Amino acid sequence: MTGSARDTERMPEQLAAMLVDATTEAISAVGGHSGGVYLRSGVTGLLRLAVLAGLPGPLFRSWWRLHADSPFPVADAYRLGVQVVLPNAAETMRRYPQFAAGLPFPFGSLYVPVVGGSTTFGVLTVLCPPAADAAELLARRDRMAQVAEDLGTALLRLEGGRRTVAWDDDPVCVQPPATRPSAGRAGGFAWDPVTDVVTVDERLPDLLGVPAGDIEAVDALADAVCPESPGQVLTALRQTAGGRPPALPLYVRTAGDRLRVVELWSPYAAPAPHGFASGAHPVRGVVVDPGPGAAADAAADLLPDGVLCTDRLGLIRYANPRAAQLLGRPRSELLGRQLREGVPWLGQPYCEDHLRSALLSPEPVHFHLGRAASDGAGTADEATWLDVSVHPGDTILTYTLRPSCRVADTASGLAPVPEQEVSGVAAASGDASMAPVYRPIVLAIALTEAVTARQVSAVVVRELLPAFGGGRLAIYLLQDRHLYLAWETGFPPGFLTPFEGVGLDARLPGVETLTSGRPLFFDSMQQLSAAYPGLPLDATEGSRAFLPLIASGRPVGSCILGFDRPRSFSTEERTVLTALAGLIAHAMEKAQRYESEAALARGLQQALLPRRLSLHPQVETTGRYLPGTQGMEVGGDWYDVVGAGDGLALVIGDVQGHGVQAAATMGQLRSAVRAFALGDHPPDEVMSGTNRLLIDLDPGQFASCCYIRLDPATGLARVARAGHPPPILRRVDGRTEVLDLPGGVVLGVDPHARYPVAELHVEPGAILALYTDGLVERPGMDIDDGITALRVALARAGAPAARAGGRGRALAGVAERLTATARHMTDRPDDIALLLATRRAPQAARAGGRH
């Protein structure tokens, strides 16, 4: 194997080690309890969580991937290259409401971009206890910024040749750095199994009673920790180096029968990502002399309440007999297991929310937990409810468990669960929780970004169904006193077809929930069949909820939620679902208004764009326009070709914004430019006159424009630009360049703006490309990179046109190739305009004149 191949193979391990060290160092510098590193991935614009310290990965899976253009602090830090400091929940909600809605807990956070040279590799982030204001975190932010700077420098050195620093695996989850020992005296050490070098902190030699120079190798370390049985320590160290640290701390005794606790971990305690070497992971550890606290576990064994302890990654470190009894699991099935394995009922969505709160905020968390009968065959009615309290700690979380029916619950502020709610325990029935504590604000914020009925429906599927455990959804919208299906998922193919376009006089639950304004809930399909005899059913088992969509007192439609198993709907669940239906109705009403306005704007824009371009025997032109697919879909991009004296004017422009106003402003500017061009005014006068017109109109918008007056006979082109991307010229010999031409400010800003004119020569067969920023600008990508990509694409696509002497069909093919990727994009954030022009060779011009 060559040296470069070996380096490429070792890079993931080397990269992860850098990231783990930087994360733990940043957490220590800030005084945080958890943190991580996001890195760019192999997918453009997508960031992936590479390292997560102090938090269990599965519990935070929703945050493993993040788009660089999303409204989150990590994305802003990466995309804008700024440091983001969020001292508390209030500031987080003010600046990043969608992020705060997903993690509505009292914590502070810091985000620092990781930059090496001119490359932004990712973002270093630390979560910490909340602070009163940002000033409290500024000094710690500076220390964290130094860590990020050092990491960026190291990543820049790591990247080179064919190697690219990126992350496409799941995150590596590691323990946070130990901030303070749990009891007694403690000392730490690190062991590199490759070199067999042991390094110790200043406290460990004193605790072990040996000079630091005597414990520089692993055998010496094991002898110093446990002289009576060094093999036990040595075996544990080697297992940890192999990625298998002991599930529980190692308890050893010295010659004087003094108890010592040894805790070992590795940056790769979790399964290593693809490409990691095995058997050579660095090991870190702490040796604790517990002192009189060593009897704590024995005392906890006697408590009448259940006590269970986990580390911050969710590994169960301790469970007393009462906890095992209440959970219906032997202690042997709890100790050393992940919490979600040992206590699977905590996998319910609302429980996971409480666990996230305990990990992120400093206050204890209290909630109810429903578990099935201990024999595993119990029904929902046999379920048991427990009161659970979680007490956060720097390295350990302590859970206390007690039956919900205890009298002591009243004093603790925990109300017993009503008997009728026990039958709805999802854990017992196998269904996902209905999660009545699901926060409507999460759905509300997500709906603010949806502008079409299809986008609203997609948000409901993404946010509502998973939270409530539903498997089927249908949304009907009201039009001309009939209901039409707008979206459906989960129903058998063709099942909903007979209900398409039903009138408001039909006796159907989806109709009656709208006409009455009352939601309808059916705990079983038998209940639904009894209420509506003869109604076709899509399943023999399950439950259904029919919700009216009413906004501002006006009927909008109805929403059907389907669940695959029978279940009851508590009062709280019905209230939350009804409230969410109101949010959906308002979003749908807004979407209908949007779609009406969009249809009007599309019609207006189509009327304003040129049906055909002006013809000239010596010049061939072709244009393309693609509307955006996000937001209003209709913008102010336009292009035109106008006869100007004995020459030809090539024009392209872009009005800021979208919608009817942008399209109307575009039409006015296009008319103005045409008028100036027909009068054969110089390019600078065309720009200045159009600028003054836009200012006089005062539509509250500005526009960019590029105007080229081309002399077909000589090829002389005179160019004026107003804040528009530069043209690209592909010469006959294939050389393609972005024309660095002077320009002025955008139109509509400065009434005294000047627009310098530049000259260039366009040879016969050369291709001149004018375009708007929608073709070259992408979220998370620099526009200069997009222009460069377009230049390269024109160099490749333009070759056939040059060989064909600039024939129109070939030029149209170039336009098709340049816009092919954009045409097939599902989401185009902006509209796109492209105008291509080429001079014909003299013989081609004569042939064109004959035809």
Side-chain angles (χ1 to χ4, degrees), residues 343-358:
V343 191
W345 312 285
L346 287 172
Q348 302 174 59
Y350 80 96
C351 292
E352 291 185 344
D353 237 9
H354 290 302
L355 297 181
R356 282 190 283 266
S357 176

Side-chain angles (χ1 to χ4, degrees), residues 140-209:
R140 288 181 274 176
R141 179 204 61 184
D142 292 342
R143 294 194 292 270
M144 178 177 167
Q146 184 60 54
V147 176
E149 181 180 343
D150 294 343
L151 176 59
T153 301
L155 295 181
L156 187 62
R157 287 197 301 264
L158 185 63
E159 185 172 75
R162 295 184 178 179
R163 300 186 303 180
T164 299
V165 171
W167 192 270
D168 290 296
D169 286 305
D170 292 344
V172 176
C173 298
V174 299
Q175 293 286 0
T179 53
R180 53 178 177 267
S182 56
R185 297 182 302 150
F189 64 88
W191 171 47
D192 184 345
V194 176
T195 62
D196 194 32
V197 172
V198 173
T199 56
V200 300
D201 63 18
E202 68 276 6
R203 298 184 300 273
L204 186 62
D206 180 60
L207 185 150
L208 299 178

Side-chain angles (χ1 to χ4, degrees), residues 26 30-32 34-36 73-74 77 83-87 107-113 123-129 134 136-142 144-145:
V30 172
S34 52
V74 169
Q83 299 176 3
V84 179
V85 179
L86 303 173
F107 66 92
S109 55
L110 301 92
Y111 309 84
V112 178
V123 177
L124 181 63
T125 178
V126 171
L127 311 183
C128 58
E136 291 188 29
L137 298 180
L138 292 182
R140 288 181 274 176
R141 179 204 61 184
D142 292 342
M144 178 177 167

